[in-house]
RNA sequence: GCGGACGUGGCGAAAUGGUAGACGCAGCAGACUUAAAAUCUGCUAUCCGAAAUGGGUGUGCGGGUUCGAGUCCCGCCGUCCGCACCA
């Protein structure tokens, strides 16, 4: 007698062991089968996996298992994005070495992930913090260095003047250092940059190829790259300042040149710097500009302020027209030329600035009829014709732009120019826990790459984090080396690479991992590009752009012969949960403060939510992304232990569309658990039944057979499009029908086939069922069931009968009934006649197999 | 500030411009049980109605296109995400 309850505690472990021992999911580089590379963004080993990971890897796993069943050789690897700040924070707080902390986290998280029974090729596991990964990364960096894609320049960082350390944006809270609380300053450091801008055009054009990417991500990348065409030209300084005689500006709106009322320089602009040397007030203003943050959001929301330098420039189209020159805090040195001309009437920022400093506002573009309408508090950015613009009057915007550009080029004071919002990628980090930059600084030879036979440049283990700052910088011996070129004493670069570099090529290393090279191009070529990449939308720009850039760059260096790494991309939603809180008075300050409670600390009872074990009522807050600060985190581990991997996996796939947020709920996981048990009851019901005994009892069941075939086709389609919630709904419909059906050979077959249909989602119970049915091989090695095309279409359809677009009746007719039949049937409907009530019929619209709409 | 998305029952949602609410959760009623759990059956957008194989309303708000709009267009409102040193 087979157990009437499915027991995941024993089944999960048993099948996971079997899959592992048989090496079922190890990808074969030499396979002759068609290939599919399914990849989920690898995790940062923060300590514990969270529900977001579970959701991400479950989705990838369903696709990977489904592709295997379809006959593909599947590469589905897992690894660790193991460098990063949390390890250093742990080192400071817990006095544990970042490496030790990270490796312990990896070990724990690997166990957690394995308990979910994913079809992963663990033989290819990588951790980016190990020298056998980052050493190869150093080799690739040197390739880029030698290929002219790496350079050094000054760039601003957040500097904490108390801790004497560089801070990440994340560590700056309201302009203050997160530990010291000191006001953060911008400070310039000489840093390494990768020339991503060399690939701006290629990265932009490449987006067109990426048909399998969400439109929104392509748009975000397009906007991020920000190609804009315009006019770059110079204003001549009325009062020459030594060597500086002109101010170079760039504008995408040269048509508005007659609306200019000022020129604004970045505080970092050479002219601003030069003037500041002789002008204490200006120097103070420039210094003040350094106090703002380095993030775009801060720069753009801060109060726009300027400093009038007293200088003027002459207008290029009218030498008698002088414009004042300001230094302004909103002009970025990194974009364009570091100087702009302000047209207040047609740019909101310029308008705000002009109002503040009482500068003229002249409308130069107007929609029809608005030529004389004054500009109030809102700049006009819409279409129209040029006004108040001398020779441009009456022209449309585009023609005016071209006219100005042509004249500038003819008179040699400017030229058409393409500018990018995209800036080069600063990869230097003044931190320990990252890939050491393989460069040696020699007084005589300059920056010399470490010879490849001396790689990897490994991190020293004997470091301490008792004082802030970079331990590599203050390590007694590590940085002191001889120059590889001339042999004289020199210094190692002590900055490490941005962790984004680690995730910019890991997918290549998964595909091929020779000892002596980063990857073997031929093997990589067999697997790449990644067929389906799955991860969070938060990576829509940075990670995905950097990974694309590395692939483009390696292709340009002749190391790869493709440029786009990810054929299809899917961005999944977050796992969310209700928040629980109460507002209490802070005993010291008297101010109200919110105290959050975790789901473990509350209980749901009649009348609401209360503190656990009979406590007081508690407020239920918004449903939000699971986060430590809101304490609304549910740890997957105990859930897996209680309900088993299959129920957890199934929950992750049900209900919410995968790109949308998934609210975690106790009731939801209970529902998934009941689903698993329901499946099991169906499977065991077959244990003593053969197809022929079933047939003998009830013959055949055509409707159920049709439903089965529709489900096989429909679920396959839904899995391919990652619409797991729809696949789940179809499975439920099939099960509902099976449960209501009488015994028959078709019912018997439907249940057997059901095991295969659900196998990618709930693989443990599917294996268990397969064994129960007497199969000796694994269902993981089985094929996706075939379906009969002819059974997919119904032979009877329900037609909607509308009167003036409103549903009045429905009719069941043979599929393919012709229009006149349908019209006659519709007009014969009693309900229709009642609604028409003798009115004149103007028109009858008939859509075969769909509806009839009677217009009166 | 800039860029991107989303908005449908009590909740998660479904719906090539063609019957809005499939499927799941929760709830209600019933069966089974000494009882509970589990399981099974039925109902479940909303308003009017005793009920109807009766009618009205209804996909964030306001307009528009169409025989027909959740879906397309225009304008709002709200919420969320990203913004270059978090990963």
């Amino acid at each position: 007698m087979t157990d009437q309850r499915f027991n995941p505690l024993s089944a999960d472990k048993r099948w996971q062991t079997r899959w592992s021992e048989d090496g079922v999911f190890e990808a074969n580089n030499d396979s002759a089968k068609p290939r599919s590379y399914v990849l989920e963004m690898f995790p940062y080993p923060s300590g514990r996996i969270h529900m977001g990971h579970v959701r991400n890897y479950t989705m990838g796993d369903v696709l990977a298992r489904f592709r295997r069943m379809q006959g593909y050789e599947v590469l589905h690897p897992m690894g660790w994005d193991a460098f990063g700040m949390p390890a250093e924070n742990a080192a400071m707080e817990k006095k544990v070495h970042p490496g030790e902390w990270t490796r312990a986290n990896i070990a724990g998280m690997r166990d957690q992930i394995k308990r979910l029974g994913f079809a992963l090729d663990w033989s290819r596991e990588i951790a980016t913090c190990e020298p056998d990964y980052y050493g190869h990364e150093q080799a690739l960096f040197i390739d880029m260095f030698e290929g002219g894609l790496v350079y050094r320049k000054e760039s601003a960082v957040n500097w904490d003047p108390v801790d004497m350390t560089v801070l990440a944006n994340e560590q700056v809270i309201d302009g203050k250092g997160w530990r010291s609380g000191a006001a953060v300053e911008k400070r310039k450091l000489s840093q390494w940059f990768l020339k991503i801008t060399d690939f701006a055009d290629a990265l932009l054009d490449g987006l067109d190829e990426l048909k399998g990417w969400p439109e929104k991500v392509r748009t975000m990348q397009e906007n991020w790259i920000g190609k804009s065409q315009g006019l770059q030209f110079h204003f001549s300084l009325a009062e020459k300042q030594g060597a500086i005689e002109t101010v170079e500006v760039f504008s995408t709106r040269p048509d508005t040149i007659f609306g200019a009322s000022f020129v604004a320089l970045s505080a970092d602009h050479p002219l601003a710097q030069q003037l500041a040397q002789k002008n204490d007030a200006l120097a103070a203003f420039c210094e003040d500009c350094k106090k703002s943050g380095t993030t775009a959001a801060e720069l753009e929301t801060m109060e726009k302020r300027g400093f009038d330098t007293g200088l003027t420039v002459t207008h290029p189209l009218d030498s008698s027209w002088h414009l004042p020159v300001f230094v302004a805090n909103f002009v970025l040195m990194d974009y364009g030329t570091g100087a702009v001309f302000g047209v207040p009437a047609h740019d909101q920022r310029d308008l705000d600035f002009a109002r503040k400093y009482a500068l003229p506002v002249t409308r130069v573009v107007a929609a029809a009829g608005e030529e004389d309408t004054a500009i109030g508090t809102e700049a006009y950015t819409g279409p129209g014709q040029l006004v108040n613009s001398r020779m441009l009057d009456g022209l449309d915007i585009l023609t005016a732009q071209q006219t100005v550009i042509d004249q500038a080029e003819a008179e040699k004071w400017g030229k058409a120019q393409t500018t990018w919002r995209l800036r080069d990628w600063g990869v230097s980090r003044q931190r320990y826990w990252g890939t050491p930059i393989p460069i040696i600084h020699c007084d005589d030879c300059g920056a010399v790459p470490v010879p490849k036979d001396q790689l990897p440049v490994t991190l020293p283990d004997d470091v301490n984090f008792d004082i802030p700052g970079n331990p590599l910088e203050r390590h007694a011996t590590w940085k002191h080396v001889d120059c590889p070129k001339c042999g004289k004493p020199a210094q190692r670069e002590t900055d490490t690479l941005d962790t984004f570099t680690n995730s910019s090529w890991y997918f290549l290393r998964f595909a091929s991992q020779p000892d002596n090279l980063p990857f073997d191009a031929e093997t990589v070529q067999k697997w790449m590009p990644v067929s389906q990449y799955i991860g969070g939308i938060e990576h829509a720009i940075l990670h995905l752009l950097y990974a694309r850039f590395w692939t483009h760059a390696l292709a340009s260096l002749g190391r790869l012969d493709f440029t786009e790494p990810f054929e299809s991309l899917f961005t999944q939603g977050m796992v969310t949960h209700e928040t629980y809180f109460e507002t209490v008075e802070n005993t010291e300050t008297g101010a109200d403060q919110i105290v959050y409670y975790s789901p473990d600390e509350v209980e749901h009872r009649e009348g609401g939510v209360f503190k656990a074990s009979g406590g007081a009522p508690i407020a239920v807050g918004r449903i939000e992304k699971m986060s430590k600060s809101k304490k609304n985190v549910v740890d997957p581990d105990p859930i897996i232990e209680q309900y088993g991997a299959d129920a957890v996996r199934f929950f992750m796939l049900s209900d919410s569309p995968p790109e949308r947020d998934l609210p975690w709920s106790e009731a939801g996981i209970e529902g998934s658990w009941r689903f698993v048990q329901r499946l099991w009851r169906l499977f065991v019901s077959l244990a003593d039944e053969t197809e022929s005994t079933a047939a003998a009892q009830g013959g055949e069941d055509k409707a159920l057979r049709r439903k089965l075939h529709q489900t096989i086709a429909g679920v396959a389609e839904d899995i391919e499009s990652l619409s797991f919630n729809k696949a789940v709904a179809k499975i439920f419909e099939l099960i509902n029908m099976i449960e209501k059906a009488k015994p028959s050979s078709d019912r018997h077959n439907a249940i057997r086939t059901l095991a295969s249909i659900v196998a990618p989602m709930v693989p443990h119970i599917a294996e268990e069922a397969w064994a129960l049915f007497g199969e000796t091989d694994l269902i993981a090695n089985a094929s996706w069931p075939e379906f009969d095309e002819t059974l997919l279409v119904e032979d009877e359809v329900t037609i909607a009968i509308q009167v003036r677009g409103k549903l009045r009746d429905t009719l069941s007719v043979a599929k393919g009934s012709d229009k006149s039949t349908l019209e006659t049937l519709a007009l014969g409907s009693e309900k229709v006649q009642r609604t028409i009530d003798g009115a004149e019929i103007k028109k009858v619209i008939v859509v075969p197999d769909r509806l009839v709409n009677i217009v009166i």
Side-chain angles (χ1 to χ4, degrees):
Chain A
M1 182 70 196
T2 312
D3 198 338
Q4 291 296 310
R5 294 273 280 194
F6 174 66
N7 178 5
L9 228 55
S10 63
D12 286 6
K13 186 81 200 144
R14 187 162 64 249
W15 296 110
Q16 285 162 17
T17 307
R18 173 86 186 273
W19 293 327
S20 167
E21 280 170 358
D22 288 10
V24 178
F25 305 120
E26 285 176 25
N28 176 4
N29 284 344
D30 303 317
S31 172
K33 294 183 196 171
R35 287 155 196 274
S36 185
Y37 185 173
V38 178
L39 183 66
E40 299 96 57
M41 292 178 185
F42 66 164
Y44 176 77
S46 56
R48 311 277 302 162
I49 61 163
H50 52 69
M51 286 296 178
H53 293 128
V54 177
R55 192 179 191 200
N56 191 186
Y57 308 142
T58 300
M59 289 182 194
D61 198 57
V62 173
L63 185 66
R65 286 176 177 272
F66 173 69
R67 288 286 183 225
R68 278 180 53 80
M69 292 181 85
Q70 285 186 313
Y72 287 87
E73 184 70 30
V74 172
L75 173 56
H76 186 215
M78 181 55 71
W80 311 95
D81 190 11
F83 275 138
M85 282 199 312
E88 294 196 17
N89 295 337
M92 283 182 253
E93 284 158 18
K94 298 173 189 157
K95 309 283 176 211
V96 54
H97 189 275
E100 195 185 312
W101 182 85
T102 302
R103 290 181 188 105
N105 286 347
I106 289 174
M109 290 173 73
R110 186 193 297 116
D111 279 352
Q112 289 186 295
I113 290 176
K114 284 192 172 178
R115 283 201 283 280
L116 283 154
F118 295 130
L120 290 164
D121 181 352
W122 286 102
S123 73
R124 296 177 188 239
E125 179 184 2
I126 50 182
T128 59
C129 65
E130 303 303 342
D132 64 4
Y133 182 83
Y134 69 70
H136 296 302
E137 184 168 302
Q138 291 167 338
L140 292 174
F141 180 86
I142 290 168
D143 289 341
M144 289 196 193
F145 182 88
E146 286 169 349
L149 297 178
V150 180
Y151 68 100
R152 210 160 159 75
K153 79 167 178 191
E154 292 252 302
S155 175
V157 293
N158 299 306
W159 179 255
D160 185 320
V162 172
D163 276 353
M164 305 287 280
T165 190
V166 176
L167 298 178
N169 281 338
E170 188 190 57
Q171 299 170 317
V172 180
I173 293 153
D174 294 332
K176 301 198 165 59
W178 68 338
R179 288 184 203 284
S180 69
V184 169
E185 298 167 5
K186 273 190 277 191
R187 178 181 267 217
K188 293 243 167 175
L189 291 181
S190 181
Q191 308 198 64
W192 291 105
F193 282 77
L194 300 187
K195 279 192 185 169
I196 190 171
T197 54
D198 275 12
F199 295 83
D201 252 321
L203 289 168
L204 188 62
D205 292 346
L207 290 173
D208 292 338
E209 282 177 42
L210 303 175
K211 307 281 185 234
W213 283 41
E215 187 66 39
K216 63 174 171 179
V217 176
R218 286 192 284 167
T219 308
M220 284 162 92
Q221 292 220 346
E222 194 180 314
N223 289 331
W224 186 261
I225 294 169
K227 183 175 189 171
S228 51
Q229 280 156 317
L231 175 67
Q232 182 163 333
F233 68 97
H234 62 260
F235 284 99
S236 296
L237 278 167
E239 311 82 8
K240 307 219 182 310
Q241 300 296 312
I244 304 178
E245 299 183 1
T246 59
V247 175
E248 197 78 12
V249 297
F250 171 79
S251 172
T252 56
R253 293 293 302 274
D255 52 308
T256 62
I257 194 162
F258 290 105
S261 61
F262 64 94
V263 166
L265 309 174
S266 159
D268 294 323
H269 193 278
L271 178 56
Q273 300 273 296
Q274 183 177 320
L275 294 170
Q277 286 174 8
K278 292 177 285 186
N279 183 335
D280 289 346
L282 177 55
F285 179 81
C286 290
E287 200 56 39
D288 221 29
C289 288
K290 284 185 189 158
K291 286 189 182 145
S292 76
T294 58
T295 72
E298 274 178 282
L299 290 171
E300 281 163 40
T301 51
M302 70 191 178
E303 191 193 359
K304 308 295 180 287
R305 290 182 305 134
F307 184 96
D308 191 344
T309 62
L311 299 183
T312 59
V313 291
T314 54
H315 195 283
L317 291 166
D318 181 350
S319 57
S320 67
W321 183 354
H322 286 215
L323 297 130
V325 177
F326 284 76
V327 175
N329 64 351
F330 61 86
V331 183
L332 302 174
M333 194 61 217
D334 291 330
Y335 181 76
T337 60
V340 297
F341 70 93
V343 184
H346 305 290
D347 181 285
Q348 192 59 45
R349 199 171 50 185
D350 293 350
L351 182 62
D352 295 344
F353 192 81
R355 294 294 185 216
K356 185 164 183 172
Y357 296 99
L359 297 163
V361 178
T362 312
R363 177 191 279 280
V364 289
V365 177
E370 304 212 321
E371 290 81 356
D372 299 320
T373 312
I375 299 288
T377 53
E378 229 168 276
Y380 179 74
T381 54
Q385 291 195 330
L386 275 287
V387 293
N388 302 321
S389 294
R390 309 187 191 186
M391 83 284 186
L392 303 176
D393 282 349
L395 299 180
D396 64 79
I397 292 173
L398 288 177
T399 312
Q401 287 177 357
Q402 199 53 52
T403 306
V404 174
I405 290 170
D406 288 347
Q407 186 165 346
E409 291 188 335
E411 295 172 0
K412 302 211 185 309
W413 49 268
K415 60 180 197 303
Q417 180 79 39
T418 301
T419 301
W420 306 88
R421 213 187 73 97
L422 182 68
R423 309 197 300 258
D424 275 336
W425 175 13
V427 291
S428 293
R429 298 291 181 269
Q430 297 69 40
R431 278 194 265 283
Y432 167 78
W433 196 232
T435 302
I437 296 175
I439 296 285
I440 291 164
H441 297 281
C442 169
D443 287 342
D444 294 343
C445 310
V448 181
V450 174
K452 281 195 180 170
D453 58 14
Q454 292 173 28
L455 296 181
V457 175
T458 54
L459 290 167
D461 276 333
D462 52 334
V463 286
N464 70 74
F465 292 85
D466 297 342
I467 41 174
N470 182 357
L472 293 179
E473 180 68 43
R474 56 171 189 267
H475 189 277
T477 56
W478 189 77
K479 69 177 176 183
H480 303 292
V481 289
D482 293 336
C483 172
K485 244 187 198 169
C486 67
K488 285 188 197 152
Q491 287 210 339
R492 250 188 224 299
E493 171 68 59
T494 56
D495 284 354
T496 50
L497 289 171
D498 180 5
T499 56
F500 272 119
T501 57
N502 306 314
S503 52
S504 291
W505 70 284
Y506 75 109
F507 42 89
L508 302 174
R509 185 71 188 168
F510 272 143
S512 162
Q513 26 195 252
D515 289 338
N516 57 342
L517 286 172
F519 51 82
D520 169 58
E522 204 179 309
T523 311
V524 160
Q525 189 67 26
K526 288 183 187 172
W527 289 112
M528 292 290 292
V530 172
S531 320
Q532 182 67 60
Y533 196 32
I534 308 177
I537 184 68
E538 67 274 19
H539 294 291
I541 297 176
L542 294 182
H543 160 60
L544 288 165
L545 191 64
Y546 291 148
R548 292 183 61 220
F549 159 59
W550 270 61
T551 312
H552 276 258
L554 291 172
S556 81
L557 296 172
R559 306 295 303 272
L560 294 173
D561 44 14
F562 57 92
T563 52
E564 291 296 337
F566 311 122
E567 189 179 353
S568 290
L569 170 73
F570 188 84
T571 55
Q572 106 257 10
M574 297 174 301
V575 182
T576 57
H577 196 284
E578 281 182 331
T579 48
Y580 309 105
F581 67 94
E582 63 181 350
T583 309
V584 297
E585 198 176 299
N586 185 308
T587 46
E588 282 170 33
T589 65
D592 279 351
Q593 79 181 56
I594 290 174
V595 177
Y596 286 95
Y597 290 84
S598 77
D600 294 341
E601 296 167 323
V602 305
E603 58 188 20
H604 293 254
R605 292 204 304 267
E606 213 164 315
V609 179
F610 301 83
K611 283 192 211 175
S613 39
I618 205 163
V620 178
R622 316 161 40 103
I623 295 174
E624 293 191 60
K625 176 182 182 173
M626 289 188 180
S627 73
K628 279 183 192 160
S629 61
K630 300 280 166 66
K631 291 187 80 174
N632 59 341
V633 177
V634 175
D635 185 5
D637 254 9
I639 306 281
I640 298 166
E641 198 159 315
Q642 188 179 352
Y643 298 100
D646 287 343
V648 177
R649 294 167 59 110
F650 193 76
F651 179 85
M652 291 293 146
L653 302 166
S654 315
D655 293 351
S656 285
E659 69 278 9
R660 237 181 272 180
D661 289 350
L662 171 68
W664 175 267
S665 75
E666 194 66 25
I669 184 68
E670 287 281 352
S672 296
W673 165 251
R674 283 198 300 272
F675 167 80
V676 169
Q677 295 304 337
R678 209 172 147 196
L679 269 183
W680 186 243
R681 283 193 297 276
L682 280 180
F683 293 145
V684 296
S685 74
L686 283 203
D688 307 316
E689 178 189 281
T690 66
E691 191 175 344
S692 54
T693 58
Q697 276 185 67
E700 52 178 25
D701 184 338
K702 280 187 181 164
L704 181 59
R705 192 191 311 165
R706 189 185 294 279
K707 186 73 181 177
L708 174 67
H709 285 252
Q710 287 171 343
T711 306
I712 296 168
V715 168
E717 210 171 282
D718 289 337
I719 292 178
E720 299 218 25
S721 65
L722 307 181
S723 306
F724 304 110
N725 57 320
K726 293 190 219 169
V728 164
K730 290 191 173 85
I731 289 167
F732 268 112
E733 285 184 41
L734 176 63
I735 293 179
N736 288 344
M737 195 159 171
I738 291 174
E739 286 180 341
K740 286 188 170 66
K742 294 193 171 67
S744 67
S745 58
D746 287 305
R747 183 176 183 277
H748 184 94
N749 261 326
I751 296 174
R752 267 191 92 96
T753 312
L754 179 62
S756 300
I757 297 175
V758 299
M761 299 182 174
V762 285
H764 307 87
I765 194 173
E767 291 288 5
E768 201 76 8
W770 210 234
L772 194 64
F773 299 159
E775 300 282 350
T776 48
D777 194 8
L778 293 163
I779 202 168
N781 292 324
S783 297
W784 184 253
E786 310 251 330
F787 60 87
D788 182 348
E789 202 71 55
T790 62
L791 290 174
L792 300 187
V793 283
E794 302 284 353
D795 38 35
E796 195 157 86
V797 289
T798 306
I799 304 279
I801 312 298
Q802 302 178 332
V803 177
R804 276 192 312 199
K806 275 196 182 288
L807 182 74
R808 292 299 161 182
D809 201 358
T810 58
L811 285 176
S812 200
V813 298
K815 190 178 166 69
S817 300
D818 64 44
K819 286 193 176 190
S820 60
T821 311
L822 292 173
E823 183 171 339
T824 312
L825 282 170
L827 290 170
S829 157
E830 192 194 320
K831 288 183 206 164
V832 167
Q833 285 303 330
R834 211 188 308 152
T835 313
I836 295 175
D837 195 24
E840 185 201 351
I841 295 171
K842 292 185 186 145
K843 200 171 172 185
V844 178
I845 287 153
V846 183
V847 183
D849 296 339
R850 284 276 181 192
L851 58 64
V852 178
N853 188 11
I854 297 158
V855 187
I856 54 172

